[in-house]
Amino acid sequence: MGAETDVSGTRLRRAGARRGLPWLVVALWVVLLAVAAPFAGKLGDVQSDRAVDYLPTNADSTQVAKIQDTLPGGESTDLVIVYHRDGGLTAADRATADERVAAIAREHPLSARPEGIGSKDGTTVMYPLSTTGPGQDDEARTTFVKDVRDSVGGGGGLQVRVGGPGAMNTDSMEVYGSLDGPLLYTTVAVVAILLILIYRSPFLWLVPLVVAGLADLLSMAVVYGLHQGFGTTVSSQSAAVMTILVFGAGTDYALLLVARYREELTRRALPLDAMTAALRGCGPAVVASSGTVAAGLLCLLAADLNSSRGMGPIAAVGVLSALLAMTTLLPAVLVLLGRRVFWPLVPAYGQEPRERRSVFAAMGGVAGRRPVAVLVTGGVALGALALGMFSLPGELKLEDSFTSRPESIVAMETLATAYPERSSQPVTVITPTGRADETLAEVRGIRGVAGAERVRDGGGWTELAVTAQDLPESAGERATVQALRDGLDGSHVGGPTAQQMDLEKTNSRDLRAVVPLVVVAVLLILIVLLRSLVAPLLLVAAVVAVWAASLGIAGLVLEPVLGAKGTDPGLPLLSFVFLVALGVDYGIFLMHRVREETLAGAGPTDAALTALRTTGGVIASAGLVLAATFSVLMNMPMTNLLELGFVVAVGVLLDTFLVRTYLVTSAAVALGRRIWWPGALSRRPQDEDPAREDGAELLARR
């Protein structure tokens, strides 16, 4: 009797401990967030969008920027004040301009007194000016540019704009600095609307949304730690993408877990037991898929471009933070809220699932009857779409990097019209001080150079300011930059155009280096997870085809429809990493269920169609949420974000509704057990009825 009492007491204590587990998880998260919150609030302080933060590590223009930081006064801020009147400048206009610029020169420590340069048509006069006063201090640089803009006057038909690299950088930082709030609010609103439509519940949608917000807070704290501990570059672009991934991927994981949890609630009386079963059922797929995404993103560490290399770990932190929150905090909160959180569609214990003909069952029927025809048709369609890549607009110029037209861009456009014969932005040459005069003479003799002057000395280096004969970022100015690099030994050539040239070259190099690394890393992980070679090859080939088709659609849409005047050099690489990693994510969800059904004894066709029928709705919902979150980037005022958001959103939709639904399912039906080769599932069990499998394959061929 005593022994029975002890056993009973032990069981009660274990049951009590299990019931207290959700509360313990919530308590641990409260402590974790209390520690993380102060650090998360500091992330904005370490974000930087200076040119050097985006440049390649070892590029010539990067060396120029680094050496400039060591010269007296540090990094220079170069502006061009532009006075313009459509009918031609009057004598009073010129006097006003001279007076205003002289006042600016008295108030700020400029490198030289600005001299006005009039245009040949008499409509414009520009005053180039440079200062090292702000140095590397972004806030001081912004204050200086604003002071100049407030002091230039204008009115009465006299138009005044402040442009130049310094003004353009300030406008860029202001745009990036304004992203955080609108990006977060818009993302939350989009996810909330979709969750309300998916769950059809006035309460349930709020739980994963709040958990995703807490995951975002945690990821911000971790990224701040990465910056402090390892010097990871944190740009506004990478921070924005991280937020998108936390909400997009996190909501995807929540959709899968909640769907399985709802299903288990009809089989088990206690919510805790149902959640335990749900985690056992879909948890491995969620963990495996998020791990694959993180591994693919971390391949960006092999990139030479600072912004791309920093984005890899930052984006991976976002995905892993979402995984942690959705597999610990979300289950605990759902268990504590009980069944009532699903109101009004509360799943009851013992409730039989409603039999209904779903759209995914109908799609599976098409794939099951004519798998080869579906495969060929889908492959041809993706190939045809990929041809649109040849219509992508050319390289993106600095002046086209905004979707709006800030003051610096308007100033540069005015200069391009009024001074078609000369450049309005400097090309910087850094040369050893011992041969500065010799280098200056060589520079002035190079074809395409309109003028050059010695600027600053320090640390054994001398800075030369070179003016090209051709317009900024034109083919002529690029040729001049290349001629300077080819003709000057021991010197470095930088400036805005040189930086763009280095960005393009490095992005091409990174594409060749990172893409194979991502493919191999993802393929190896899939081979281990699926215990097959054929299925991983199929999934990777599918997502690569989706990436090519998405870029093809971008080639047909970006310029004529969205008004983009160029293609961001980093678009191919970043879109590839995101689409391959996230696309394989969905492939794992589907193939994990196919494997589960096969292990349960289903034939190849039944396993594939059952997997599509049971997971199709969840994967479609997840794809819509992820595509919608990335499309939020299209509303941001930077062209690179617009293009990345468009390509990834289109790719996710293609992957969700064409590749996963039709092509992967058709391939699974057509290949049968061969899709699991050389694993054990590729061999027919001895107790399996050959007629059943043959009949399934016959159905698939019809």
Side-chain angles (χ1 to χ4, degrees):
M1 186 70 175
E4 292 179 0
T5 302
D6 291 342
V7 172
S8 178
T10 301
R11 289 176 177 173
L12 288 174
R13 285 193 297 272
R14 288 177 178 174
R18 290 184 71 245
R19 286 194 295 270
L21 183 59
W23 287 109
L24 176 61
V25 172
V26 171
L28 289 174
W29 266 93
V30 170
V31 174
L32 179 62
L33 293 172
V35 173
F39 299 104
K42 296 179 180 180
L43 183 61
D45 298 336
V46 300
Q47 289 182 25
S48 180
D49 295 295
R50 297 170 60 220
V52 71
D53 297 316
Y54 286 82
L55 289 174
T57 304
N58 300 313
D60 208 31
S61 59
T62 310
Q63 304 310 310
V64 169
K66 290 179 178 179
I67 294 173
Q68 281 183 316
D69 290 343
T70 67
L71 294 176
E75 182 180 356
S76 65
T77 300
D78 302 312
L79 305 179
V80 180
I81 304 176
V82 183
Y83 288 85
H84 173 83
R85 185 182 290 275
D86 289 336
L89 294 170
T90 64
D93 292 337
R94 292 296 300 263
T96 298
D98 287 337
E99 178 184 344
R100 293 284 186 173
V101 174
I104 293 172
R106 289 192 298 270
E107 295 173 6
H108 299 279
L110 303 183
S111 302
R113 179 180 177 82
E115 298 292 338
I117 303 172
S119 64
K120 292 180 179 180
D121 61 7
T123 63
T124 310
V125 61
M126 69 172 178
Y127 295 81
L129 60 87
S130 179
T131 180
T132 58
Q136 298 171 242
D137 189 330
D138 290 341
E139 185 175 349
R141 185 184 298 109
T142 299
T143 300
F144 169 69
V145 173
K146 288 183 176 179
D147 285 346
V148 171
R149 284 174 169 170
D150 292 340
S151 305
V152 293
L158 178 63
Q159 303 169 21
V160 189
R161 299 287 186 271
V162 178
M168 197 173 297
N169 288 338
T170 296
D171 288 340
S172 296
M173 286 188 290
E174 288 187 347
V175 168
Y176 274 120
S178 67
L179 291 182
D180 292 344
L183 177 72
L184 179 61
Y185 305 146
T186 307
T187 302
V188 169
V190 168
V191 173
I193 292 171
L194 288 174
L195 287 178
I196 292 172
L197 294 175
I198 291 168
Y199 286 141
R200 291 173 291 170
S201 167
F203 307 112
L204 180 58
W205 64 272
L206 192 58
V207 180
L209 191 62
V210 170
V211 172
L214 297 177
D216 189 41
L217 181 70
L218 175 63
S219 67
M220 292 168 64
V222 174
V223 169
Y224 176 78
L226 286 178
H227 173 80
Q228 295 298 100
F230 302 97
T232 303
T233 300
V234 183
S235 67
S236 296
Q237 183 188 41
S238 59
V241 169
M242 182 186 71
T243 295
I244 291 294
L245 282 174
V246 169
F247 280 91
T251 304
D252 283 0
Y253 303 150
L255 287 169
L256 290 164
L257 178 64
V258 171
R260 192 64 176 257
Y261 177 50
R262 184 197 290 269
E263 182 181 331
E264 296 295 339
L265 282 173
T266 64
R267 301 170 182 166
R268 290 167 173 79
L270 297 178
L272 181 57
D273 293 338
M275 181 57 73
T276 302
L279 285 171
R280 287 174 179 168
C282 70
V286 171
V287 172
S289 61
S290 60
T292 306
V293 173
L297 293 171
L298 287 174
C299 291
L300 282 171
L301 287 169
D304 188 42
L305 202 64
N306 284 337
S307 54
S308 297
R309 189 171 60 255
M311 185 178 291
I314 291 173
V317 164
V319 171
L320 295 178
S321 297
L323 170 69
L324 180 64
M326 295 306 171
T327 55
T328 57
L329 182 58
L330 178 64
V333 173
L334 289 175
V335 169
L336 292 175
L337 292 175
R339 298 174 185 270
R340 59 184 177 274
V341 75
F342 288 94
W343 187 87
L345 304 174
V346 180
Y349 174 54
Q351 175 183 338
E352 292 293 331
R354 290 182 298 175
E355 292 291 338
R356 58 182 181 181
R357 180 71 172 174
S358 71
V359 65
F360 293 99
M363 292 177 175
V366 175
R369 286 190 297 271
R370 297 180 178 85
V372 176
V374 171
L375 273 174
V376 172
T377 302
V380 170
L382 290 175
L385 290 173
L387 294 176
M389 283 193 292
F390 296 105
S391 298
L392 282 169
E395 298 292 350
L396 186 68
K397 295 182 179 180
L398 282 174
E399 63 191 57
D400 299 322
S401 58
F402 301 89
T403 56
S404 58
R405 295 172 70 248
E407 181 177 339
S408 59
I409 298 300
V410 177
M412 302 307 284
E413 291 173 347
T414 301
L415 290 173
T417 302
Y419 301 87
E421 75 286 352
R422 64 174 294 154
S423 176
S424 57
Q425 67 183 19
V427 176
T428 303
V429 174
I430 297 291
T431 190
T433 301
R435 60 187 311 272
D437 292 336
E438 180 183 346
T439 302
L440 183 62
E442 292 175 353
V443 166
R444 288 170 174 166
I446 290 177
R447 183 177 181 180
V449 172
E453 60 183 15
R454 188 167 175 162
V455 182
R456 291 182 292 171
D457 300 310
W461 296 97
T462 295
E463 178 182 7
L464 307 179
V466 181
T467 303
Q469 293 177 350
D470 298 282
L471 293 176
E473 296 187 74
S474 64
E477 190 190 35
R478 285 174 174 246
T480 301
V481 170
Q482 192 59 51
L484 288 169
R485 287 178 167 174
D486 294 339
L488 302 177
D489 293 330
S491 300
H492 302 289
V493 180
T497 298
Q499 290 172 359
Q500 284 296 105
M501 293 169 63
D502 288 338
L503 284 173
E504 294 163 12
K505 180 180 179 181
T506 305
N507 271 297
S508 298
R509 175 265 169 198
D510 286 349
L511 188 66
R512 295 190 298 271
V514 176
V515 164
L517 190 61
V518 172
V519 170
V520 171
V522 170
L523 187 60
L524 290 176
I525 294 174
L526 288 178
I527 290 172
V528 174
L529 291 176
L530 300 178
R531 302 174 192 176
S532 164
L533 181 59
V534 175
L537 286 171
L538 170 67
L539 293 179
V540 171
V543 292
V544 171
V546 165
W547 168 71
S550 302
L551 281 182
I553 294 174
L556 302 175
V557 172
L558 285 182
E559 187 170 15
V561 178
L562 300 180
K565 297 181 180 179
T567 304
D568 179 59
L571 179 64
L573 175 61
L574 294 181
S575 61
F576 180 87
V577 173
F578 287 123
L579 284 177
V580 169
L582 296 171
V584 167
D585 204 21
Y586 295 141
I588 291 175
F589 296 152
L590 180 63
M591 294 307 294
H592 181 269
R593 191 59 181 259
V594 174
R595 182 179 178 83
E596 189 178 334
E597 295 293 332
T598 303
L599 287 171
T605 300
D606 289 342
L609 300 187
T610 300
L612 178 61
R613 185 176 65 252
T614 54
T615 66
V618 178
I619 291 178
S621 300
L624 284 172
V625 169
L626 191 62
T629 52
F630 266 95
S631 68
V632 169
L633 293 176
M634 296 175 61
N635 295 320
M636 300 298 107
M638 300 299 292
T639 303
N640 62 334
L641 294 180
L642 178 149
E643 293 178 345
L644 181 63
F646 176 81
V647 172
V648 176
V650 168
V652 169
L653 293 177
L654 276 177
D655 190 77
T656 302
F657 293 102
L658 174 61
V659 174
R660 299 293 149 232
T661 303
Y662 284 111
L663 301 190
V664 173
T665 303
S666 297
V669 172
L671 292 172
R673 290 190 174 275
R674 292 184 294 274
I675 199 171
W676 302 112
W677 184 88
L681 286 180
S682 64
R683 297 182 289 275
R684 180 185 298 166
Q686 294 181 355
D687 58 349
E688 185 174 75
D689 183 4
R692 178 186 176 190
E693 185 171 0
D694 293 343
E697 292 180 352
L698 179 62
L699 168 65
R701 289 195 295 268
R702 284 204 298 248

